[in-house]
Amino acid sequence: MNSKSIKKKMIEALNRSGYLMESRIIASLAKAGYFIEPNQKIADSKTGKSREIDLIAELWDYEPEKHRKHKLSVSVRFVCEAKNNPNPVVLLTKLPFSPNIEVWAAIKEGRTGLFRNEHTDPSFQDLLLEKQSIFTQYCSFKPKKTGEKSEWVAWHPDDFNDDLEKIIYYSDEEVEIANDMNDDYNRLHIYLPVVILGGDLYLSEPGARSINLKKVDVGFYMHFGIRNDVHFLALVAFVTERHLLKFFEKTNGIAQHLEQQTIVSIESKEGK
């Protein structure tokens, strides 16, 4: 096998994998002014073995005069797994209303100072979701040969669930660390688990006799988990790679809005 053939096979293999996708995402985020922590290691909560998170990103927008004056910080850390899905991912089954499901508890927020006892109105959750639905199932597809025909089979990739558990666990751990801080700084630090898709994303809307599929760039999934015999909820954003910067920009805009709203409230109280 000559060197050209070897390179071709290497490129084809890399394109099918998620490695090049991760490199593209990291490069675009760095260019947009984000701090990125790639390939972060955590200890698996079930096995104790080391596992890897693809990347954690946070926008650097520190303004010394504003933040020092009010000892205030509202920020979002995006805890991300990149999936180079060759076939579409579909989010299914809208979350029905139940008084036993507290959606606000699915948002991973570290709170210190005035944020421990005061909540913004509207909340981060309200502004993030707006009128969007939350879904409770996901699936992808794989080919299945039946005689002469090639069909797709809907399936639930095992690695998706493992990766979801991983980024949610990391977010929960960081929230605990933030909540344990006992200084006089006012923090609202949001840790948002994100699945970045290299391929397409659809939302499923069941019709009377059929399924309606809507192609989108952002969808929200509610993860129901159990850890150490305790049930928990986690809101996870599914976002296509092509839309990632816009989604991050919008989400950071929410954090900046809440921060400014809090500053106005503090200054109003100080002026009385």
Side-chain angles (χ1 to χ4, degrees), residues 93-109:
T93 311
K94 287 184 180 180
L95 178 70
F97 169 76
S98 169
N100 298 318
I101 299 176
E102 298 175 325
V103 176
W104 61 267
I107 305 294
K108 308 302 179 182
E109 296 176 331

PDB file of all heavy atoms in Angstrom, residues 93-109:
ATOM      1  N   THR A  93     -41.372  12.330  22.351  1.00  0.00           N
ATOM      2  CA  THR A  93     -42.218  12.311  23.552  1.00  0.00           C
ATOM      3  C   THR A  93     -42.021  13.578  24.390  1.00  0.00           C
ATOM      4  O   THR A  93     -41.074  13.698  25.170  1.00  0.00           O
ATOM      5  CB  THR A  93     -41.959  11.070  24.426  1.00  0.00           C
ATOM      6  OG1 THR A  93     -41.975   9.895  23.602  1.00  0.00           O
ATOM      7  CG2 THR A  93     -43.020  10.942  25.497  1.00  0.00           C
ATOM      8  N   LYS A  94     -42.938  14.509  24.234  1.00  0.00           N
ATOM      9  CA  LYS A  94     -42.870  15.743  25.005  1.00  0.00           C
ATOM     10  C   LYS A  94     -43.091  15.463  26.486  1.00  0.00           C
ATOM     11  O   LYS A  94     -43.878  14.600  26.857  1.00  0.00           O
ATOM     12  CB  LYS A  94     -43.934  16.722  24.508  1.00  0.00           C
ATOM     13  CG  LYS A  94     -43.625  17.344  23.161  1.00  0.00           C
ATOM     14  CD  LYS A  94     -44.686  18.375  22.796  1.00  0.00           C
ATOM     15  CE  LYS A  94     -44.398  18.998  21.458  1.00  0.00           C
ATOM     16  NZ  LYS A  94     -45.430  20.004  21.083  1.00  0.00           N
ATOM     17  N   LEU A  95     -42.385  16.211  27.300  1.00  0.00           N
ATOM     18  CA  LEU A  95     -42.527  16.086  28.748  1.00  0.00           C
ATOM     19  C   LEU A  95     -43.916  16.565  29.149  1.00  0.00           C
ATOM     20  O   LEU A  95     -44.260  17.736  28.971  1.00  0.00           O
ATOM     21  CB  LEU A  95     -41.463  16.922  29.455  1.00  0.00           C
ATOM     22  CG  LEU A  95     -41.510  16.946  30.980  1.00  0.00           C
ATOM     23  CD1 LEU A  95     -41.103  15.590  31.544  1.00  0.00           C
ATOM     24  CD2 LEU A  95     -40.586  18.037  31.524  1.00  0.00           C
ATOM     25  N   PRO A  96     -44.751  15.675  29.702  1.00  0.00           N
ATOM     26  CA  PRO A  96     -46.087  16.104  30.130  1.00  0.00           C
ATOM     27  C   PRO A  96     -46.013  16.830  31.467  1.00  0.00           C
ATOM     28  O   PRO A  96     -45.068  16.654  32.233  1.00  0.00           O
ATOM     29  CB  PRO A  96     -46.850  14.782  30.260  1.00  0.00           C
ATOM     30  CG  PRO A  96     -45.790  13.786  30.612  1.00  0.00           C
ATOM     31  CD  PRO A  96     -44.524  14.238  29.925  1.00  0.00           C
ATOM     32  N   PHE A  97     -47.017  17.632  31.739  1.00  0.00           N
ATOM     33  CA  PHE A  97     -47.035  18.309  33.031  1.00  0.00           C
ATOM     34  C   PHE A  97     -47.282  17.303  34.153  1.00  0.00           C
ATOM     35  O   PHE A  97     -48.112  16.405  34.047  1.00  0.00           O
ATOM     36  CB  PHE A  97     -48.134  19.371  33.085  1.00  0.00           C
ATOM     37  CG  PHE A  97     -48.345  19.906  34.474  1.00  0.00           C
ATOM     38  CD1 PHE A  97     -47.452  20.813  35.028  1.00  0.00           C
ATOM     39  CD2 PHE A  97     -49.410  19.457  35.258  1.00  0.00           C
ATOM     40  CE1 PHE A  97     -47.621  21.283  36.324  1.00  0.00           C
ATOM     41  CE2 PHE A  97     -49.595  19.928  36.551  1.00  0.00           C
ATOM     42  CZ  PHE A  97     -48.696  20.841  37.088  1.00  0.00           C
ATOM     43  N   SER A  98     -46.534  17.471  35.236  1.00  0.00           N
ATOM     44  CA  SER A  98     -46.772  16.698  36.446  1.00  0.00           C
ATOM     45  C   SER A  98     -46.290  17.525  37.630  1.00  0.00           C
ATOM     46  O   SER A  98     -45.180  18.075  37.596  1.00  0.00           O
ATOM     47  CB  SER A  98     -46.013  15.367  36.413  1.00  0.00           C
ATOM     48  OG  SER A  98     -46.045  14.739  37.696  1.00  0.00           O
ATOM     49  N   PRO A  99     -47.088  17.619  38.680  1.00  0.00           N
ATOM     50  CA  PRO A  99     -46.649  18.357  39.869  1.00  0.00           C
ATOM     51  C   PRO A  99     -45.461  17.686  40.560  1.00  0.00           C
ATOM     52  O   PRO A  99     -44.809  18.290  41.411  1.00  0.00           O
ATOM     53  CB  PRO A  99     -47.890  18.349  40.776  1.00  0.00           C
ATOM     54  CG  PRO A  99     -48.690  17.168  40.323  1.00  0.00           C
ATOM     55  CD  PRO A  99     -48.450  17.059  38.848  1.00  0.00           C
ATOM     56  N   ASN A 100     -45.182  16.440  40.171  1.00  0.00           N
ATOM     57  CA  ASN A 100     -44.062  15.711  40.768  1.00  0.00           C
ATOM     58  C   ASN A 100     -42.749  15.929  40.021  1.00  0.00           C
ATOM     59  O   ASN A 100     -41.707  15.435  40.457  1.00  0.00           O
ATOM     60  CB  ASN A 100     -44.384  14.212  40.802  1.00  0.00           C
ATOM     61  CG  ASN A 100     -45.604  13.903  41.648  1.00  0.00           C
ATOM     62  OD1 ASN A 100     -45.772  14.465  42.711  1.00  0.00           O
ATOM     63  ND2 ASN A 100     -46.465  13.028  41.147  1.00  0.00           N
ATOM     64  N   ILE A 101     -42.794  16.632  38.885  1.00  0.00           N
ATOM     65  CA  ILE A 101     -41.584  16.912  38.112  1.00  0.00           C
ATOM     66  C   ILE A 101     -41.269  18.396  38.224  1.00  0.00           C
ATOM     67  O   ILE A 101     -42.001  19.239  37.698  1.00  0.00           O
ATOM     68  CB  ILE A 101     -41.755  16.517  36.629  1.00  0.00           C
ATOM     69  CG1 ILE A 101     -42.026  15.016  36.512  1.00  0.00           C
ATOM     70  CG2 ILE A 101     -40.506  16.890  35.833  1.00  0.00           C
ATOM     71  CD1 ILE A 101     -42.306  14.548  35.083  1.00  0.00           C
ATOM     72  N   GLU A 102     -40.223  18.721  38.929  1.00  0.00           N
ATOM     73  CA  GLU A 102     -39.818  20.110  39.123  1.00  0.00           C
ATOM     74  C   GLU A 102     -38.744  20.454  38.091  1.00  0.00           C
ATOM     75  O   GLU A 102     -37.557  20.169  38.281  1.00  0.00           O
ATOM     76  CB  GLU A 102     -39.300  20.316  40.544  1.00  0.00           C
ATOM     77  CG  GLU A 102     -40.357  20.035  41.613  1.00  0.00           C
ATOM     78  CD  GLU A 102     -39.805  20.125  43.018  1.00  0.00           C
ATOM     79  OE1 GLU A 102     -38.633  19.740  43.218  1.00  0.00           O
ATOM     80  OE2 GLU A 102     -40.544  20.574  43.911  1.00  0.00           O
ATOM     81  N   VAL A 103     -39.178  21.050  36.992  1.00  0.00           N
ATOM     82  CA  VAL A 103     -38.263  21.308  35.879  1.00  0.00           C
ATOM     83  C   VAL A 103     -37.096  22.190  36.314  1.00  0.00           C
ATOM     84  O   VAL A 103     -35.967  22.022  35.859  1.00  0.00           O
ATOM     85  CB  VAL A 103     -39.026  21.945  34.697  1.00  0.00           C
ATOM     86  CG1 VAL A 103     -38.075  22.313  33.567  1.00  0.00           C
ATOM     87  CG2 VAL A 103     -40.100  20.977  34.186  1.00  0.00           C
ATOM     88  N   TRP A 104     -37.351  23.139  37.225  1.00  0.00           N
ATOM     89  CA  TRP A 104     -36.284  24.040  37.670  1.00  0.00           C
ATOM     90  C   TRP A 104     -35.126  23.265  38.288  1.00  0.00           C
ATOM     91  O   TRP A 104     -33.961  23.688  38.218  1.00  0.00           O
ATOM     92  CB  TRP A 104     -36.820  25.067  38.673  1.00  0.00           C
ATOM     93  CG  TRP A 104     -37.383  24.454  39.928  1.00  0.00           C
ATOM     94  CD1 TRP A 104     -38.677  24.118  40.176  1.00  0.00           C
ATOM     95  CD2 TRP A 104     -36.648  24.077  41.109  1.00  0.00           C
ATOM     96  NE1 TRP A 104     -38.819  23.560  41.423  1.00  0.00           N
ATOM     97  CE2 TRP A 104     -37.593  23.522  42.027  1.00  0.00           C
ATOM     98  CE3 TRP A 104     -35.307  24.151  41.483  1.00  0.00           C
ATOM     99  CZ2 TRP A 104     -37.225  23.054  43.283  1.00  0.00           C
ATOM    100  CZ3 TRP A 104     -34.946  23.690  42.746  1.00  0.00           C
ATOM    101  CH2 TRP A 104     -35.888  23.150  43.624  1.00  0.00           C
ATOM    102  N   ALA A 105     -35.418  22.097  38.888  1.00  0.00           N
ATOM    103  CA  ALA A 105     -34.378  21.294  39.531  1.00  0.00           C
ATOM    104  C   ALA A 105     -33.462  20.635  38.512  1.00  0.00           C
ATOM    105  O   ALA A 105     -32.406  20.113  38.873  1.00  0.00           O
ATOM    106  CB  ALA A 105     -35.012  20.235  40.428  1.00  0.00           C
ATOM    107  N   ALA A 106     -33.857  20.647  37.240  1.00  0.00           N
ATOM    108  CA  ALA A 106     -33.035  20.039  36.189  1.00  0.00           C
ATOM    109  C   ALA A 106     -31.957  20.986  35.677  1.00  0.00           C
ATOM    110  O   ALA A 106     -31.079  20.581  34.905  1.00  0.00           O
ATOM    111  CB  ALA A 106     -33.927  19.594  35.024  1.00  0.00           C
ATOM    112  N   ILE A 107     -32.018  22.266  36.087  1.00  0.00           N
ATOM    113  CA  ILE A 107     -31.006  23.248  35.701  1.00  0.00           C
ATOM    114  C   ILE A 107     -29.878  23.208  36.723  1.00  0.00           C
ATOM    115  O   ILE A 107     -30.110  23.319  37.928  1.00  0.00           O
ATOM    116  CB  ILE A 107     -31.602  24.664  35.629  1.00  0.00           C
ATOM    117  CG1 ILE A 107     -32.820  24.687  34.695  1.00  0.00           C
ATOM    118  CG2 ILE A 107     -30.553  25.664  35.183  1.00  0.00           C
ATOM    119  CD1 ILE A 107     -32.509  24.425  33.248  1.00  0.00           C
ATOM    120  N   LYS A 108     -28.658  23.061  36.251  1.00  0.00           N
ATOM    121  CA  LYS A 108     -27.507  22.911  37.147  1.00  0.00           C
ATOM    122  C   LYS A 108     -26.923  24.291  37.470  1.00  0.00           C
ATOM    123  O   LYS A 108     -26.199  24.870  36.663  1.00  0.00           O
ATOM    124  CB  LYS A 108     -26.445  22.013  36.502  1.00  0.00           C
ATOM    125  CG  LYS A 108     -26.986  20.668  36.005  1.00  0.00           C
ATOM    126  CD  LYS A 108     -27.634  19.874  37.116  1.00  0.00           C
ATOM    127  CE  LYS A 108     -28.191  18.553  36.654  1.00  0.00           C
ATOM    128  NZ  LYS A 108     -28.858  17.804  37.724  1.00  0.00           N
ATOM    129  N   GLU A 109     -27.283  24.814  38.639  1.00  0.00           N
ATOM    130  CA  GLU A 109     -26.875  26.156  39.026  1.00  0.00           C
ATOM    131  C   GLU A 109     -26.100  26.146  40.329  1.00  0.00           C
ATOM    132  O   GLU A 109     -26.583  25.642  41.343  1.00  0.00           O
ATOM    133  CB  GLU A 109     -28.113  27.051  39.184  1.00  0.00           C
ATOM    134  CG  GLU A 109     -28.892  27.272  37.904  1.00  0.00           C
ATOM    135  CD  GLU A 109     -30.148  28.086  38.123  1.00  0.00           C
ATOM    136  OE1 GLU A 109     -30.722  28.026  39.230  1.00  0.00           O
ATOM    137  OE2 GLU A 109     -30.559  28.797  37.184  1.00  0.00           O
TER     138      GLU A 109
END
